[in-house]
Amino acid sequence: MHKIFDDKLVDANFNNWVDKYAHWRVRPYLKLSRFDRPIGAWLLIIPCWWGLLLSTNSHFVSFDQRTIYIATACYLGGILMRGAGCTWNDITDSELDAKVTRTKNRPIASGQLSKKQAFVWLIIQCLLAFGILITLNKLAIFLGFLSILTVLAYPFAKRFTYWPQFFLGISFNWGILLAFAASSNSLTIHAFSLYISGIFWTIFYDTIYSLQDIEDDKNVGIKSTAILFGSKTKIILISFLLLIIGIMSFVFFSIAGHDTVHFIILECGVLAFSICLLIQLITFDENDPKSCLRAFKANKQAGLILASFLAIGTIYIKFYVQ
């Protein structure tokens, strides 16, 4: 008879499919990869789609079957690499996780899995992701290997800097560069600029997310922007929102050129995206973990809204311009 663990996680939906349907033997591995909490995977996939659709909004890349394939590869690869990143994070952070209320029931911290078992699971996920990566062009493959460095570095950032969200942003938005390269076989200033705006977006939403653990983090010595910003958190996040709007507007104005309709479509996407973030700022309560988690999860919808306007821009170019 297997040992019974309290494996319920406070940031997972009560009726998630892992807890409801997964066999008890595989459930810890799925939880290790956060399959019970898909929001993180979406926040990795969405920047990939931004990068891909940025390329198809440029006049030198056409939307075709290859675009659909890359979008699918980004979806599957994003799920796998988010799972691998979370596995690595939990391997390195198991001792810290055991001291934090929200994370103490994670599979390694609670003793459901050993670090050796987790490492094997990490390798499996990386190999599956590698199988997808090698179907892309050489530049994308090179960027895929570089992304490993960002994944490896992130868990240690919270130990030496109050800006681990910056390192998370470097990792989570790498897909903008990779997907753009996979589609266009190049990297441009527009791709790098959108990447920078994505990093600011990650700092924005992960600061809100880290507010859930702020007292535990202070006690165990974990650093975060939430601790750094303190009582000025909302004011500082407004400045990040303005930076996001400014950079994205520059990118879309540049690629639209003299086509006013194209720019209006893309700028409407920026406006809708920024309104979603502004609503988060206005409504979340810094002292209520559930409120912070709701605001954090709302970034899936915000990111997909911007992706939708980028898709509309692509359709406009394909059928009304070319």
Side-chain angles (χ1 to χ4, degrees):
M1 186 175 180
H2 72 282
K3 184 177 178 180
I4 298 176
F5 291 93
D6 180 11
D7 62 351
K8 299 295 182 183
L9 295 162
V10 297
D11 52 355
N13 291 331
F14 180 74
N15 288 319
N16 71 83
W17 71 271
V18 174
D19 283 325
K20 288 182 68 175
Y21 303 116
H23 189 275
W24 66 268
R25 289 187 183 276
V26 301
R27 192 181 300 150
Y29 293 96
L30 299 177
K31 285 178 175 286
L32 192 61
S33 297
R34 313 290 197 268
F35 287 135
D36 57 333
R37 287 155 290 161
I39 177 61
W42 278 111
L43 294 175
L44 195 67
I45 294 164
I46 288 169
C48 295
W49 287 349
W50 287 0
L52 175 62
L53 291 167
L54 179 68
S55 74
T56 57
N57 272 276
S58 305
H59 292 269
F60 61 89
V61 178
S62 179
F63 182 92
D64 53 22
Q65 290 181 340
R66 181 66 178 170
T67 309
I68 296 173
Y69 174 79
I70 295 171
T72 305
C74 287
Y75 179 79
L76 297 175
I79 292 173
L80 288 167
M81 285 310 297
R82 192 259 181 156
C86 290
T87 302
W88 172 246
N89 183 78
D90 285 11
I91 290 172
T92 59
D93 280 357
S94 59
E95 288 77 15
L96 293 175
D97 285 344
K99 300 175 183 178
V100 177
T101 301
R102 185 178 60 84
T103 60
K104 65 181 181 180
N105 289 339
R106 286 180 175 176
I108 303 175
S110 62
Q112 298 170 61
L113 292 176
S114 67
K115 288 188 177 182
K116 182 178 179 180
Q117 289 173 311
F119 190 77
V120 171
W121 179 235
L122 170 65
I123 297 301
I124 292 171
Q125 292 173 96
C126 288
L127 288 175
L128 291 171
F130 175 71
I132 296 172
L133 179 65
I134 59 175
T135 65
L136 305 178
N137 60 38
K138 291 180 179 179
L139 179 57
I141 293 172
F142 172 72
L143 290 170
F145 276 104
L146 276 184
S147 71
I148 295 173
L149 298 177
T150 71
V151 173
L152 292 175
Y154 166 67
F156 301 102
K158 64 177 74 74
R159 292 167 167 82
F160 66 83
T161 177
Y162 282 100
W163 290 90
Q165 283 70 27
F166 171 73
F167 288 86
L168 183 68
I170 291 174
S171 180
F172 260 55
N173 294 281
W174 196 262
I176 293 175
L177 303 179
L178 194 152
F180 187 93
S183 176
S184 66
N185 200 28
S186 66
L187 287 174
T188 67
I189 186 63
H190 304 127
F192 280 109
S193 297
L194 188 61
Y195 175 59
I196 291 171
S197 71
I199 292 174
F200 289 141
W201 178 42
T202 300
I203 294 172
F204 179 94
Y205 66 65
D206 204 62
T207 297
I208 296 173
Y209 183 76
S210 63
L211 285 166
Q212 298 176 91
D213 305 323
I214 194 165
E215 294 305 322
D216 283 339
D217 286 351
K218 288 178 181 178
N219 291 334
V220 300
I222 295 174
K223 297 177 173 64
S224 72
T225 48
I227 295 173
L228 178 66
F229 298 162
S231 61
K232 298 180 180 179
T233 294
K234 287 199 174 188
I235 295 174
I236 294 174
L237 290 183
I238 289 174
S239 68
F240 280 108
L241 175 55
L242 293 174
L243 284 169
I244 293 167
I245 294 171
I247 296 171
M248 286 185 174
S249 297
F250 159 74
V251 171
F252 298 148
F253 177 79
S254 298
I255 65 171
H258 298 293
D259 192 329
T260 304
V261 174
H262 189 201
F263 174 65
I264 290 174
I265 292 171
L266 299 182
E267 193 61 20
C268 282
V270 176
L271 178 62
F273 176 72
S274 60
I275 289 173
C276 290
L277 268 57
L278 182 60
I279 291 172
Q280 292 175 38
L281 267 179
I282 294 171
T283 58
F284 87 86
D285 181 354
E286 299 174 56
N287 300 310
D288 182 0
K290 290 183 179 179
S291 173
C292 295
L293 184 60
R294 280 195 302 270
F296 168 73
K297 288 183 176 181
N299 284 279
K300 171 188 173 182
Q301 287 73 31
L304 287 174
I305 287 171
L306 179 58
S308 298
F309 277 93
L310 284 165
I312 294 170
T314 296
I315 293 169
Y316 168 75
I317 287 179
K318 185 171 181 65
F319 294 102
Y320 295 96
V321 177
Q322 293 183 350

